[in-house]
Amino acid sequence: MTQVYFHCSNTKGILMDRRGTFVSDLIEACEEATRRVRSLVAAANLEDWRQWALHVSDEAGDEIFVLPFAFVLGNPH
């Protein structure tokens, strides 16, 4: 098990994940990242999430991967 952190950012700022989440592997980290993005987008708010990205980092603060929200949202029609 590895503890990873899911930080969200756009050009205006960063939302820091200070608790982290334990995952067993990279696949689980990717699945959790996708769940978090979908959860934020589904919440009732006026935020335009297309310019946001979710940054997944390890315990040392090293970035593992970045998931742009637009990747999960797809292209607007």
Side-chain angles (χ1 to χ4, degrees), residues 21-61:
T21 301
F22 286 96
V23 296
S24 56
D25 55 26
L26 184 58
I27 293 170
E28 187 176 354
C30 290
E31 291 170 348
E32 180 63 21
T34 302
R35 273 193 296 275
R36 287 178 182 238
V37 168
R38 287 189 175 140
S39 176
L40 286 168
V41 170
N45 60 55
L46 299 175
E47 186 66 47
D48 179 3
W49 294 105
R50 289 175 290 182
Q51 300 302 315
W52 285 81
L54 186 122
H55 303 262
V56 181
S57 302
D58 64 14
E59 294 176 60

